[in-house]
Amino acid sequence: MSNLQDLQQLAENRRSVYALNDNLPVSKDEIVKMVEHAILHTPSAFNSQSTRIVVLFDQDHNKLWDITEETLRDIVNNDEQFASTKQKIGGFRAAAGTILFFEDQRVVRNLQEAAPLYADRFPIWADHTSAMHQYVLWTGLASANVGANLQHYNPVIDNKVSETWGIDDHWDLIAQMVFGGIEQPAGDKEFQPVEDRMKVFGK
Ligand SMILES: Cc1cc2nc3c(=O)[nH]c(=O)nc-3n(C[C@H](O)[C@H](O)[C@H](O)COP(=O)(O)O)c2cc1C
């Protein structure tokens, strides 16, 4: 297979996997190295390197989902209405770990001051930068047979997350990627027609 076909195969293997367990097919060190590699080699707007990542395994991962459950339970304030959310969060807790993606707002503000012309763009580009890190790690995890799904319980969990893991005030939580052994792979996916979604000119 060509490099491109290899890359495309890896891209196809990346799916949202929700039925996860804590039986990782690779070591925790390999996951940590994957994150280090993503931090170094993923592009960022203006080479700002604004992405910050926290990896939670085992008890720390469980703690995140305890925090999320408690926070949402307090908001919903009704056990019956909360039952399906509780079950969903239990599914995340059953996984092996969670990667927390942050963007350092101090870096964003410095860029805004240095290049005022783009001031309103930098927060958006920081989100794009985070998304690139998310994608490369999601695909990287899939390549190692580690299932993952992407969650967004920020901002309601932000304060407790910062308190619990001593996160810098300037780090803004963007997304949570749950990962683990694959209990059940993702089902089929529906695709909207490619021709409605792209145009080619001058070929
Ligand atoms: C920007 C973005 C945000 C997403 N947010 C969530 C989310 O909050 N919760 C969730 O379960 N899935 C989330 N997803 C996963 C999508 O629902 C999923 O990627 C899509 O349905 C396609 O399925 P696939 O990942 O299996 O290819 C998100 C995906 C993207 C790209």
Side-chain angles (χ1 to χ4, degrees), residues 7-196:
L7 186 66
Q8 289 175 331
Q9 188 61 59
L10 292 172
E12 285 178 39
N13 287 350
R14 183 224 50 83
R15 293 294 312 280
S16 293
V17 182
Y18 294 98
L20 297 169
N21 58 45
D22 61 1
N23 197 7
L24 280 174
V26 293
S27 69
K28 289 174 187 161
D29 278 345
E30 279 173 84
I31 303 242
V32 171
K33 283 199 188 113
M34 202 187 290
V35 174
E36 286 170 355
H37 192 276
I39 291 241
L40 283 179
H41 297 289
T42 307
S44 58
F46 282 53
N47 196 25
S48 58
Q49 301 172 40
S50 53
T51 298
R52 305 288 178 262
I53 293 180
V54 171
V55 187
L56 305 174
F57 292 106
D58 294 343
Q59 292 314 307
D60 286 285
H61 157 82
N62 291 345
K63 177 90 191 153
L64 174 76
W65 294 105
D66 290 347
I67 286 172
T68 308
E69 183 178 321
E70 283 159 24
T71 306
L72 294 179
R73 171 70 189 79
D74 287 350
I75 293 170
V76 174
N77 201 20
N78 177 314
D79 279 337
E80 210 177 307
Q81 283 173 15
F82 188 61
S84 62
T85 304
K86 187 180 164 79
Q87 196 183 2
K88 194 166 153 187
I89 291 173
F92 303 143
R93 199 187 282 104
T98 306
I99 302 173
L100 303 178
F101 294 86
F102 299 83
E103 283 295 303
D104 192 334
Q105 297 306 312
R106 198 166 23 197
V107 176
V108 174
R109 278 193 294 276
N110 287 343
L111 285 167
Q112 288 174 313
E113 280 167 27
L117 190 61
Y118 301 118
D120 61 338
R121 302 286 91 194
F122 284 118
I124 297 164
W125 290 336
D127 276 351
H128 295 183
T129 297
S130 176
M132 293 211 179
H133 287 73
Q134 293 164 37
Y135 181 73
V136 84
L137 281 171
W138 200 347
T139 308
L141 289 167
S143 78
N145 257 334
V146 178
N149 63 72
L150 187 63
Q151 300 304 318
H152 295 93
Y153 288 98
N154 47 293
V156 293
I157 60 171
D158 290 14
N159 290 344
K160 280 195 187 154
V161 166
S162 299
E163 267 169 45
T164 306
W165 288 285
I167 304 295
D168 190 317
D169 282 351
H170 302 280
W171 294 18
D172 197 12
L173 184 58
I174 309 287
Q176 305 85 53
M177 186 168 288
V178 185
F179 63 87
I182 299 175
E183 191 72 30
Q184 193 189 317
D188 290 342
K189 183 160 90 164
E190 277 184 23
F191 294 94
Q192 292 173 29
V194 175
E195 55 272 24
D196 293 350

Side-chain angles (χ1 to χ4, degrees), residues 1-10:
M1 270 212 285
S2 68
N3 286 342
L4 176 61
Q5 284 171 324
D6 283 344
L7 186 66
Q8 289 175 331
Q9 188 61 59
L10 292 172

